[in-house]
Amino acid sequence: MSEIRNIAIIAHVDHGKTTLVDKILHQCNLFRENQATGELILDNNDLERERGITILAKNVSVQYKGTKINIIDTPGHADFGGEVERVMNMADGVILLVDAFEGPMPQTRFVLQKAIAAGKKAILVINKVDKPNCRPEEVHDNVFDLFFNLDANEEQLDFPTVYGSSKQGWMGPDYKTPTTDVTYLLDTIIANIPTAPKREGTLQIQITSLDYSSFIGRIAVGRIFRGNIKENMPVSVVKRDGRIQKSRIKELFVFEGLGKMKVAEAETGDICAFTGIEGFEIGDTVADFENPEGMPTMHIDEPTMSMLFTINNSPFFGKDGKFVTSRHLRDRLFKELEKNLAMRVEETASPDSYLVFGRGILHLSVLIETMRREGYELQLGQPQVIIKEIDGVKCEPVEVLTVDVPQESSSKVIDLVSQRKGNLLIMEPKGDLTHIEFEIPSRGIIGLRNNVLTATAGEAIMAHRFKDYEPWKGPIPSRIAGVLISKDKGTAVAYSIDKLQDRGKFFVEAGDEIYPGMIIGEHIRPDDLVVNVCTEKQLTNMRASGTDEKMRIVPKIKFSLEEAMEYIQGDEYVEITPSFIRLRKIYLEENERKRMGKKLEAQ
């Protein structure tokens, strides 16, 4: 049996993890000469391809010089930190990938902290050394400081460094002399990452991820911590709460290239997938039938944000989606909990609404986007941060926010963040950009990205990571402008929109279907205004100069899902259907809105 190396690739978002995995797969001749493979082979679901980010951790394996290397590709976004924590115990070492220009970023710190805490040995890969303005030596020193600040031990501090360019497909010991392929990195992995230890004793596998096949159902994936596993083997499943359930392994697979290969037996240290176990969850231990021993439960960081998910009860409900009832919504949310460890769902007093807790706007929006593509209709309330009481003090989540922005726009960014209770920590030049770091409450980040991008003409690069819970920072100003609300149900008319353009900016255009209480634009003043955009022009049989002036209508503002979630206030919902994202008031009738507004003021 060949030796096994298990390695996870960790990095900040967009530093080139998935591209590097592509090059390793090609290097190890996984494909036929004439096989069309495309780019970013592992980002294989639609959302990952569209957004250009990795959302789910995935594993592949390659054979190199008689050694099997299991590679786990992890997401670089802190919102998907649950995925990184989940797979960290499958690896014996990590490849830390850092951009040669950007250097260590907030998520680099976040994922590296997890790896060091788990006692993993790291290989540093300084990627994108072909970029202009890159500074590999300086980045290497910054990464060493980061290891030191995260309390790495002597062995972890003595990490090997590899330079290269994933895009050009080379890795080598020196960034000034490009090599021809990535074999230097593979040799470094074999030399520095410990072999998966062969532990003697009874079987132990912790289930770290789920796979699904429409043919055989749910498949458990985990690393064999101790002992061997065979087909048709009777086993015990030790649940996270300590309960033990007897079961039997049916089919057994190991990872081979991009797919799975059916085997009769798998050995200690390998990563395997198996079927036959009913009702398992991530974190359960598959152990010996006679003497089951559970493994320590995985520690996953707490969610920091919650949103209300409720059924769609707008006048247009059921026109677009297939799944519209509260039963559909409930089943789908609880099914998500099986594989998404960093998410929680709580039932509310209303049978139609659920509170969903996640790591951030992006974490929740990926779930919502997946649901709308599956045919669900639902409505979302305003995102809320989770507030805790620690030692009698009201505390809220605080994050470290970094912004890279051209020098001339830096003052605008500092002004915007300061308004939201952000404290400036660091400001320094970085190439032709200015690098700024802040501490800011999580609720201050909601809705900030759009304002920063507008102020900097789209040139700002923002990233943030959760730091800790700190005492409440006081009220933060929310959206300043009021909204334009539709008065009638019908089709928006160009003539009416043209006449109302001086009142604000519109989110609808001529021909869009609207209903009373729907938000159709942003008012120029702080109060809300009810308008009618369904009125046609009155036609007469008289011709006169000046009656037929041209209409010049400003194009409507289109919201992405995250932008809509960040835009709404406490008395508003986002209505999500497979084809539309609409904004609306919770109370559609104007009189009811006023009555509820007075009730809130009285409280």
Side-chain angles (χ1 to χ4, degrees), residues 313-476:
N313 59 2
S314 81
F316 292 166
F317 86 96
K319 283 189 172 183
D320 194 26
K322 291 187 291 188
F323 307 114
V324 294
T325 65
S326 57
R327 180 179 63 81
H328 286 136
L329 181 63
R330 184 183 190 283
D331 290 352
R332 179 65 182 81
L333 289 176
F334 281 97
K335 185 181 164 198
E336 184 68 21
L337 291 183
E338 288 181 1
K339 58 178 186 293
N340 202 329
L341 283 196
M343 201 168 267
R344 287 209 327 267
V345 177
E346 280 181 15
E347 306 204 10
T348 62
S350 158
D352 297 337
S353 306
Y354 300 89
L355 269 178
V356 179
F357 298 84
R359 285 280 180 86
I361 293 275
L362 188 62
H363 189 200
L364 293 167
S365 74
V366 165
L367 166 64
I368 296 157
E369 184 63 43
T370 309
M371 286 173 68
R372 69 183 283 226
R373 290 176 185 212
E374 289 169 2
Y376 285 84
E377 283 193 18
L378 64 151
Q379 294 184 138
L380 310 168
Q382 186 187 23
Q384 305 286 343
V385 298
I386 296 169
I387 293 155
K388 289 183 177 178
E389 196 164 295
I390 302 170
D391 301 332
V393 180
K394 181 182 178 187
C395 293
E396 63 174 330
V398 171
E399 309 210 14
V400 173
L401 169 73
T402 62
V403 188
D404 290 340
V405 67
Q407 173 68 47
E408 60 274 12
S409 307
S410 56
S411 58
K412 295 177 191 166
V413 173
I414 293 169
D415 186 40
L416 280 169
V417 178
S418 303
Q419 286 171 17
R420 291 162 172 261
K421 299 282 191 281
N423 288 335
L424 181 64
L425 302 174
I426 298 171
M427 185 173 177
E428 59 191 13
K430 182 171 167 186
D432 48 2
L433 298 175
T434 301
H435 175 77
I436 320 173
E437 274 188 35
F438 303 93
E439 258 183 22
I440 181 172
S442 292
R443 58 200 168 99
I445 291 178
I446 298 173
L448 178 67
R449 185 178 294 272
N450 271 3
N451 297 350
V452 168
L453 289 176
T454 306
T456 60
E459 292 202 1
I461 302 165
M462 282 176 65
H464 54 91
R465 67 176 174 88
F466 173 67
K467 181 186 170 226
D468 208 351
Y469 273 84
E470 291 183 10
W472 181 259
K473 305 277 193 238
I476 290 178

Side-chain angles (χ1 to χ4, degrees), residues 506-523:
F506 279 88
F507 307 153
V508 293
E509 60 191 1
D512 286 355
E513 294 288 321
I514 55 176
Y515 55 79
M518 182 170 151
I519 296 170
I520 55 172
E522 184 178 277
H523 195 198

Side-chain angles (χ1 to χ4, degrees), residues 53-67:
I53 57 172
T54 303
I55 294 169
L56 300 168
K58 304 174 198 68
N59 30 311
V60 293
S61 85
V62 295
Q63 293 281 349
Y64 180 71
K65 292 188 176 171
T67 301

